[in-house]
Amino acid sequence: MLRGKRVVLGVCGGIAAYKAAELTRELIREGAEVRVVMTQNATRFVTPLTFQVLSGRRVLTDTFGDDGYDMNHIALADYAELMIIAPATANMVGKAASGIADDLLSTTVMTLRCPVLFCPAMNAAMYESPIVQDNLEKLRRAGFHVLEPAAGDLACGVSGKGRLPEISLIVTEAARLLSPQDLAGERILVTAGPTREPFDPVRFITNYSSGKMGYALAAAARRRGAEVVLVSGPVTLPPPYGVEAVMVESAREMFEKVMEHLERSTVIIKAAAVADYRPAVRSRGKIKKTKGPLILELERNPDIIAEVGKRKGDRILVGFAMESENLVENAAAKMKAKGMDFIVANDLNEEGAGFQHDTNKVRIIMNDGSIESLPLMDKLEVAHAILDRVKKLRRERKRDGS
Ligand code: CTP
């Protein structure tokens, strides 16, 4: 996610400083080059040696000392593509908001021209204090990015909002801030996961969809600056940060939510594995077993994408097809019949593709008849490849004035 990116990590003097060590590891694992700057107080919680070992680089703590010689605040400004301040204490937030620059970290914040992400972590009462809130607001207005702290048990013994956000979330935000915002202005509606079609209060019909492809699409679109609504059937994945998640169970509920959000959307990507049929009758009580067989009558669910196709106007509509035979012919026929701009076709016979896997191997069939076969890739990479096609279509339409 962060291959080759140069990140300056500012660590302030709060108990969450120990978590900054894990953050350093994660940033490095994602491919970033990390330079750590610590305040004097931070070095009382965790030694610079810890960060030196983890980052593989000398840690900077002093504007005037030896370490400030080759990498001072000016050099850091030229070096950094992103600065993360984690934990950001009330003191550092206040200093940055008021233009105080009295140590290497605060002078660096003032010199940088790259995005700066503050990750506040402090006692809940401190965080809620109107002064800290005002300062955070001031930072946001000045173009700094601020990640809300998480709620939970705090090291000081109280419970409330003030915990350093999850490391994975900080890394996700870092990736977003370092990505080109080439989908800014798009409002993308993604559907994901299976649907559940109940026939009594405890049983339902469903399929093996894990939601991974749709969730990867939502995360990738958000990272590239789009506003994202994710209408999802029941899955075990957490919704990606910054995405509006709308959870549904049945195909009919999914239909309703998709139609509700259609008006505001500019792009619709239907990655959900919608059940084509539902039990015709839903028993109020649990169905008891009998000696004979149980016959369930099934009736058709609404075809969501076909309905979107009819109402889409100039929106871009992308569908998925999962086939076990005649992949290209069947997928192309679905695309035409349902008014899609392009379709992403999965071959059920391919190793590592389709439901449950972290990878996918797809063919992208465009409305103009062109077909592209992508190699086996991580679902996040497939998501970016799909979004690249969306971007290309948008560019072509703008050029043609439609
Ligand atoms: N889809 C939908 N509503 C349904 C069924 C499918 O919106 N009731 C969407 C899926 O999200 C997917 C596309 O239609 O983007 C193709 O789904 P698929 O199940 O492969 O196609 P079907 O048209 O249902 O054809 P079949 O099941 O006969 O292969």
Side-chain angles (χ1 to χ4, degrees), residues 347-360:
D347 189 338
L348 272 173
N349 306 313
E350 290 275 6
E351 189 67 25
F355 286 166
Q356 303 288 338
H357 296 284
D358 289 330
T359 51
N360 211 354

Side-chain angles (χ1 to χ4, degrees), residues 26 32 69 75 77 93 100 105 138 143 149 187 208 211 229 245 278 285 292 294 322 341 366-367 370 402:
E26 270 315 303
Y69 184 72
V93 167
I100 295 172
L105 184 37
K138 232 168 143 182
R187 287 187 300 273
Y208 286 115
V229 175
R278 65 172 178 271
L294 172 69
M322 190 167 262
D341 293 283
M366 306 296 293
N367 215 347
S370 60
S402 58

Side-chain angles (χ1 to χ4, degrees), residues 258-259 262 268 304-312 317:
V258 166
M259 294 309 153
L262 181 60
I268 302 98
I304 308 173
I305 200 163
E307 194 53 39
V308 173
K310 283 186 212 152
R311 305 188 196 178
K312 71 173 196 166
L317 177 59

Side-chain angles (χ1 to χ4, degrees), residues 192 231 233 248 250-258 270 272 274 304:
V231 178
V248 297
S250 66
R252 282 189 293 182
E253 273 179 69
M254 187 173 277
F255 180 88
E256 262 173 44
K257 294 298 174 193
V258 166
K270 291 269 319 134
V274 186
I304 308 173

Side-chain angles (χ1 to χ4, degrees), residues 191 270-276 301-306 318-323 334 338 340 343:
T191 69
K270 291 269 319 134
V274 186
D276 288 323
N301 266 328
D303 191 321
I304 308 173
I305 200 163
V318 182
F320 276 75
M322 190 167 262
E323 307 288 344
K334 269 177 203 174
K338 300 187 187 193
M340 304 174 202
I343 192 160

